Amino acid sequence: MLKVNNIETWYDLIRALHGISFEVKEGTIVALLGSNGAGKTTTLKTIMRLLYDLREEQPEKGTIEFMGVRIDRKDTEEIVRMGISYVPEGREVFPELTVAENILMGAYTRKDRKGVKEDMERLMARFPILAERRNQEAGYLSGGEQQMLAIARALMSRPKLLMLDEPSLGLSPLLTKQIFDIIKELNEKDGVTILLVEQNVNMALKYAHFAYLMENGRIVRADRPEVLREDEDVKEFYLGIATEQSVKGFKRYRRKVRFR
Amino acid sequence: MYGQLIVEGLSIGACYAVFGIAVVIIYKTSEVINFAQGEMAMISTFVAYHILNVYGWPFWYAFIGALFFAVLLGVFIEVCFLRPAKDPTVLGLIVITLGAEMLLMGLASWKWGAEQKDFALPFSFHKTHELFKGVVINDWSIAVFVMAAVLMIFLYIFFRYTKLGVAMRATQQNEHAARIMGIKVERVFSFAWGFSSLIGALAGMFFAARSTLDPAYMMEPFLRAFAAAVLGGLMSIPGVVIGGGILGILENFVGFHWPAWKPIVAFLVIVAVLCIRPSGLFARHYEKKV
Ligand SMILES: Nc1ncnc2c1ncn2[C@@H]1O[C@H](COP(=O)(O)OP(=O)(O)OP(=O)(O)O)[C@@H](O)[C@H]1O
Ligand SMILES: [Mg+2]
């Protein structure tokens, strides 16, 4: 469905993406994992063509294909219309618009008023918290509620592919699970393909069908989650489980605390 | 006596308010005080004058023509002067609008000359109606009140219930997110400038009918509308309307008791508000959640 081919993105003189390639197959959940500064957000922004404040056209090299059509030089508006939605890092709701107005903005590229109304009611039924706060300003919602709102808003354009940038950022474990369950349900029930960027590798590997690991603007691993979970490097660097050889020669597992 | 002062203060205040709305709309979208606002209205009013006196067409043709021109002028300035500035600082933007102001003023002096001209609206100052005993209101004031009221209602509906209006507010609150939604942010900016220029031209014609028409006649009304906008916090349309009313009445009272001080009332208001309560009288303190 989405094919990213050897793309390079530059921030002025700094190369943030060193030619990365990956693929998202229709109907799957694909996770894009990596530590801070690996270039995950940059990848999503490049796909959405949101690097508008840069001088050069981005990506400088490589191609991006969505359903067989090249989109790497199309406007964001057209990309949204073609069926890609993006839930940005840190939610980015419109703070002084009401919840309902926020959701309506997600349907900005759509022309069918009746369909928009119906979709809105359907989403309100699906996210009861948002229905309750329908006429409240989005800036006063809690972080978790804002994340739900950002997802609901992104769904209003009826995306075929939904890209989420760290949806679990700053959420409690319980809420994180809730968000992941929503993502799973969207994928299974509504058939939305999902590209998920996460720092919470453990969680992401539980839900994804396929995962890519990024480091310093490159893709370093690509495999199924079952395989990655058992990988020693992944365990040590991403899951925070170090395996050390102790003096007595048996393996000891230690949980490392990771600071973010 | 005071009743008359209040009525007159409110009517000129309503005119400041309308012009202040033009300032606020640009401030909200582009985050810059548009110092060319007055001159944009001035040129548009000159266009009406030109259509009236050179082509000899009826007033309403001139009126519509001027508004049409104002929209094009606003869009033109946004596209040609503001948009090319990449990652501008606030100071840079202010310098750009100041440059546009001088350019427009020079253009008007060259085309129509610097001498004062008469510009009349079909709403006379001499036709008065008695409101209460001893308090009269003239046609010009009635027209200003009607214009301000219609504009307020229109803007309320526009910003609350139309897709474009909500998208304008969305763009102003979070440009990045607006782009993600597929909103063409550049178009929103151009639209805001055209719209603001149109509202400015409306007020400009009323100011010209009240004083005279020359290339510099909008400098004072701009200062006052700016003061009204500062009173209202620069961000809110109801705020600027209330600010306009307060300023109009204040000015009239000061002018009645100490005529020499009248011209600097607006200036004092700006300084006082910026010192004491920079977010305006009616600011709603909004904490941004990151
Ligand atoms: N606007 C920018 N200008 C210059 N460099 C940037 C810009 N945005 C990001 N970078 C750099 O590009 C690299 C990749 O950043 P990116 O935001 O894509 O990382 P990320 O994988 O999303 O990290 P995180 O998990 O912390 O969100 C970083 O080295 C960052 O410093
Ligand atoms: Mg990121």
Side-chain angles (χ1 to χ4, degrees):
Chain A
M1 177 175 237
L2 181 77
K3 260 197 197 128
V4 173
N5 243 322
N6 212 17
I7 55 167
E8 274 187 20
T9 297
W10 293 71
Y11 289 109
D12 281 327
L13 297 175
I14 305 160
R15 183 158 60 178
L17 300 182
H18 301 256
I20 66 168
S21 305
F22 63 91
E23 192 180 350
V24 181
K25 291 223 169 69
E26 185 148 10
T28 59
I29 300 181
V30 172
L32 192 57
L33 312 169
S35 51
N36 291 107
K40 307 178 297 293
T41 302
T42 307
T43 307
L44 298 192
K45 281 187 174 170
T46 308
I47 294 170
M48 282 309 268
R49 202 127 185 283
L50 284 167
L51 299 168
Y52 41 83
D53 47 351
L54 300 173
R55 200 158 24 94
E56 301 289 334
E57 297 265 312
Q58 301 293 348
E60 278 203 7
K61 289 203 187 111
T63 59
I64 302 168
E65 262 178 47
F66 179 62
M67 319 241 296
V69 182
R70 270 187 70 172
I71 56 167
D72 47 279
R73 287 293 180 268
K74 287 196 192 303
D75 281 343
T76 307
E77 188 218 0
E78 209 172 325
I79 294 171
V80 173
R81 231 187 263 273
M82 285 178 71
I84 306 185
S85 242
Y86 172 43
V87 180
E89 196 172 8
R91 344 216 201 280
E92 310 253 358
V93 296
F94 301 111
E96 289 173 47
L97 296 190
T98 64
V99 167
E101 284 171 333
N102 263 279
I103 292 180
L104 277 180
M105 280 294 104
Y108 187 79
T109 52
R110 283 174 63 177
K111 300 271 185 283
D112 55 323
R113 284 174 157 230
K114 218 173 131 236
V116 169
K117 263 226 171 87
E118 287 168 13
D119 282 7
M120 171 112 171
E121 292 318 314
R122 211 171 303 143
L123 279 178
M124 286 293 188
R126 176 174 231 154
F127 298 95
I129 303 171
L130 299 182
E132 267 169 48
R133 312 224 184 318
R134 197 181 181 118
N135 295 314
Q136 194 174 317
E137 286 186 9
Y140 296 117
L141 297 181
S142 76
E145 290 161 353
Q146 287 191 6
Q147 188 64 58
M148 306 253 185
L149 178 56
I151 293 175
R153 186 179 65 175
L155 290 174
M156 281 302 283
S157 60
R158 287 197 174 165
K160 300 187 182 83
L161 170 67
L162 181 66
M163 305 196 298
L164 299 114
D165 198 343
E166 299 197 31
S168 74
L169 189 78
L171 301 188
S172 71
L174 191 69
L175 261 173
T176 305
K177 181 160 185 323
Q178 216 176 326
I179 295 274
F180 272 90
D181 286 339
I182 289 172
I183 293 170
K184 188 171 169 192
E185 195 186 301
L186 282 173
N187 176 255
E188 285 173 359
K189 282 211 186 125
D190 307 52
V192 183
T193 308
I194 292 186
L195 175 57
L196 178 69
V197 161
E198 258 303 335
Q199 293 265 1
N200 191 337
V201 173
N202 196 13
M203 209 60 181
L205 286 182
K206 268 188 204 147
Y207 284 80
H209 302 124
F210 200 82
Y212 293 89
L213 287 187
M214 270 186 94
E215 250 167 57
N216 299 325
R218 290 187 180 84
I219 296 220
V220 291
R221 293 291 303 270
D223 222 321
R224 282 173 303 130
E226 306 89 88
V227 181
L228 290 176
R229 289 172 85 75
E230 296 311 316
D231 188 279
E232 296 298 323
D233 289 348
V234 176
K235 270 187 188 163
E236 173 156 6
F237 293 113
Y238 295 97
L239 296 173
I241 311 167
T243 54
E244 288 176 336
Q245 210 73 29
S246 82
V247 205
K248 289 187 177 160
F250 57 81
K251 275 186 182 169
R252 193 158 55 93
Y253 291 85
R254 181 163 66 89
R255 281 216 161 259
K256 269 201 289 191
V257 183
R258 296 181 72 225
F259 292 96
R260 281 208 278 275
Chain B
M1 195 65 241
Y2 282 132
Q4 188 63 37
L5 281 180
I6 288 175
V7 168
E8 276 171 18
L10 280 178
S11 70
I12 188 66
C15 214
Y16 296 153
V18 171
F19 197 60
I21 288 173
V23 174
V24 166
I25 286 177
I26 285 185
Y27 185 77
K28 281 179 78 150
T29 41
S30 296
E31 289 180 352
V32 62
I33 301 294
N34 176 19
F35 283 94
Q37 196 88 52
E39 281 55 44
M40 285 160 67
M42 176 270 294
I43 287 260
S44 304
T45 306
F46 261 114
V47 167
Y49 172 86
H50 197 82
I51 296 175
L52 268 176
N53 294 292
V54 179
Y55 300 151
W57 290 4
F59 172 78
W60 290 105
Y61 285 47
F63 183 78
I64 303 288
L67 295 185
F68 189 67
F69 172 84
V71 171
L72 293 183
L73 179 67
V75 172
F76 175 81
I77 290 184
E78 198 276 324
V79 171
C80 296
F81 293 152
L82 273 96
R83 200 175 292 178
K86 281 254 161 167
D87 270 331
T89 58
V90 175
L91 190 64
L93 284 175
I94 288 177
V95 171
I96 290 173
T97 68
L98 278 172
E101 175 191 10
M102 288 173 204
L103 197 75
L104 292 174
M105 213 186 261
L107 196 71
S109 308
W110 165 74
K111 179 88 178 91
W112 289 287
E115 65 275 9
Q116 301 189 331
K117 297 177 178 62
D118 276 332
F119 181 82
L121 292 174
F123 317 111
S124 147
F125 284 94
H126 307 299
K127 214 159 141 220
T128 54
H129 312 269
E130 187 152 10
L131 273 181
F132 313 102
K133 212 176 150 0
V135 179
V136 295
I137 185 167
N138 58 37
D139 274 0
W140 184 88
S141 304
I142 294 174
V144 168
F145 284 136
V146 170
M147 172 177 75
V150 169
L151 188 65
M152 285 287 287
I153 294 167
F154 173 79
L155 288 176
Y156 180 79
I157 293 171
F158 175 73
F159 281 119
R160 200 140 302 264
Y161 298 110
T162 68
K163 193 158 129 182
L164 182 61
V166 179
M168 271 179 84
R169 287 197 290 144
T171 305
Q172 169 241 322
Q173 289 165 28
N174 190 336
E175 194 182 322
H176 181 62
R179 280 182 204 271
I180 291 170
M181 301 297 107
I183 296 172
K184 292 203 162 160
V185 172
E186 288 78 14
R187 261 191 223 168
V188 169
F189 284 147
S190 298
F191 179 82
W193 276 74
F195 196 38
S196 158
S197 177
L198 177 138
I199 295 171
L202 266 177
M205 285 190 258
F206 276 88
F207 283 122
R210 195 167 177 276
S211 58
T212 60
L213 178 61
D214 67 59
Y217 87 98
M218 279 305 286
M219 305 250 296
E220 272 196 29
F222 172 75
L223 180 69
R224 280 150 195 189
F226 180 48
V230 168
L231 261 177
L234 272 172
M235 275 300 214
S236 123
I237 288 172
V240 67
V241 170
I242 296 169
I246 293 176
L247 186 73
I249 293 175
L250 195 67
E251 223 181 42
N252 254 10
F253 273 92
V254 172
F256 181 69
H257 291 291
W258 310 278
W261 290 83
K262 185 173 175 182
I264 62 163
V265 170
F267 180 69
L268 289 179
V269 164
I270 293 176
V271 173
V273 172
L274 291 183
C275 289
I276 299 164
R277 209 179 147 85
S279 48
L281 290 183
F282 323 101
R284 212 166 44 122
H285 285 278
Y286 184 79
E287 304 292 337
K288 227 181 194 160
K289 255 190 201 150
V290 184

